[in-house]
């Protein structure tokens, strides 16, 4: 089986390395000739090209571009595809992508590996990035079974934990655990930046340690990624933000009203509930 | 010079280890005989007792109890103190503590080492915990200079970065970088816990990775500490929460109104501004 990878960054490159180590032939496409050259030199892929035509012999293709390029890339790709070829993507939102891609190519199955690290690009690619990471597959009712089965069989070899859901359930779940955290973390940084008393702001900058560092990390991350989350998962994110704000308002009211028992109950239940997420 | 430590937990125990390694005689007081025994066995202190009377020969005393016990502890301590003895505390709020303690003992200087780790208690104590950590000293105008100078000289030997501010400036700065993050992080956990659709909630729990883990860490931490922050730094925390909510509201409005350029500007400025905190 030949596997095609479009977009040879951290995710695309790491998938390539794992699949090659399993004995698959991996064909890599990047917009940059420079990236293609590195990918071949480093043994990340077997063959590479800046042209999608390279993927004419591919049986399973992973689109690993930024979110806004997934649909346009599939549009350009379809003329070259074998009729039975299966296409998936690794985008962090699914609703809009799966609906559009499913219309462009019947054997399209949306998916989302939940892995990453701070470093980006082909040089950050590594074997084993997906070991124990969740890998969500989001078929539609109309998606052919064989496409889901083959994708499952292949990604199982990455050592990840596979889950299935509808694209909409995926988007609502990641709004909670990924997109909402970015927005509340950004709001923290913004609020601190607007402290009018320069002595206090300077002192806050000097005193900040691990608590601030962790809470502000995703809000101070890649702006392009944050913008894509907001744009492409707007509706689910707004639902999460609205619910979040209600909980925040309640905490503010309790502190203002010196309702210490209620605050304690919230802190205790948060301490307990967080354990469900961190396994 | 003899140094007294009241409260032999992570902070008190770590201070003791560092001071002993510098050649000071360290006298440790704990409410638990068991903790006193461990402290002596492990060489954390030279002598230990459950009675404050042990500190009659101490020249500089660190009160390392939970926040709500600092003032009552000093009240019980004063009958035993040498007239020139200097007393400090390590509490994470300063306004109320410094005002009260300054009246109980003229040579009281408030302070706050910004160091810690997840493990607590005497067995977590370690040498070098304060190296490169900020150590804030918060004198009042009425605080004797010699007391501030001697405290400075001693804590300098911990390898920390010393800052000075008023107790009120301290409280407003830590509201931004420590107490506000706890409340927004708790609100995140609470909001997720209230997702009504069990499929989505379960999926969110399964998919949560480093982004959620980091943003929820301080909100899922020690409930007792969170409660003390809210109680003892209520006013500064409410100011920070109000400003935070305005920034959050703006982000919600921009996303709802699809003002993508404005969202991008916020994300870019957050990315840049965070670097000031993380040095």
């Amino acid at each position: 089986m030949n596997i095609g990878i479009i977009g040879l960054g951290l995710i695309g490159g790491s998938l390539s390395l794992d699949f090659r180590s399993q004995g698959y032939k991996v064909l890599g496409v990047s917009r940059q000739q420079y990236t293609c050259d590195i990918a071949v030199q480093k043994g990340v892929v077997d063959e590479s090209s800046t042209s999608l035509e390279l993927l004419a012999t591919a049986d399973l293709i992973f689109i690993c571009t930024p979110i806004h390029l997934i649909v346009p890339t599939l549009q350009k790709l379809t003329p070259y595809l074998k009729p039975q070829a299966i296409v998936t993507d690794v985008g962090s939102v699914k609703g809009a992508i799966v609906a559009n891609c499913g219309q462009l190519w019947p054997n399209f199955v949306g998916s989302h590996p939940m892995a990453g690290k701070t470093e980006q690009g082909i040089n950050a690619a590594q074997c084993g990035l997906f070991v124990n990471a969740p890998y969500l597959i989001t078929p539609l009712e109309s998606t052919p079974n064989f496409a889901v089965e083959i994708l499952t069989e292949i990604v199982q070899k990455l050592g990840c934990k596979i889950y299935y859901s509808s694209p909409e359930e995926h988007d609502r779940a990641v709004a909670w655990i990924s997109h909402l955290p970015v927005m509340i973390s950004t709001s923290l940084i913004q609020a601190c930046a607007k402290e009018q008393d320069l002595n206090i702001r300077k002192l806050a900058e000097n005193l900040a340690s691990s608590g601030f560092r962790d809470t502000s990390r995703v809000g101070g991350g890649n702006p392009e990624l944050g913008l894509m989350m907001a744009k492409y998962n707007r509706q689910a994110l707004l639902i999460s933000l609205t619910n979040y704000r209600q909980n925040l308002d309640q905490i503010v009211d309790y502190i203002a009203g010196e309702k210490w028992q209620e605050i304690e109950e919230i802190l205790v239940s948060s301490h307990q509930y967080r354990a469900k997420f961190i396994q």
Side-chain angles (χ1 to χ4, degrees), chain A residues 194-208:
Chain A
K194 289 179 189 161
E195 166 61 58
Q196 295 294 311
D197 186 321
L198 284 184
N199 280 339
I200 290 168
R201 204 168 82 202
K202 191 72 202 154
L203 197 59
E205 290 165 12
N206 286 330
L207 298 183

Side-chain angles (χ1 to χ4, degrees), chain A residues 56 58-59 78-87 105-107 146:
Chain A
D59 303 290
T78 53
Y80 304 111
L81 289 175
K82 293 205 289 195
Q84 288 295 301
I86 299 164
V87 182
W105 190 252
N107 300 340
F146 85 93

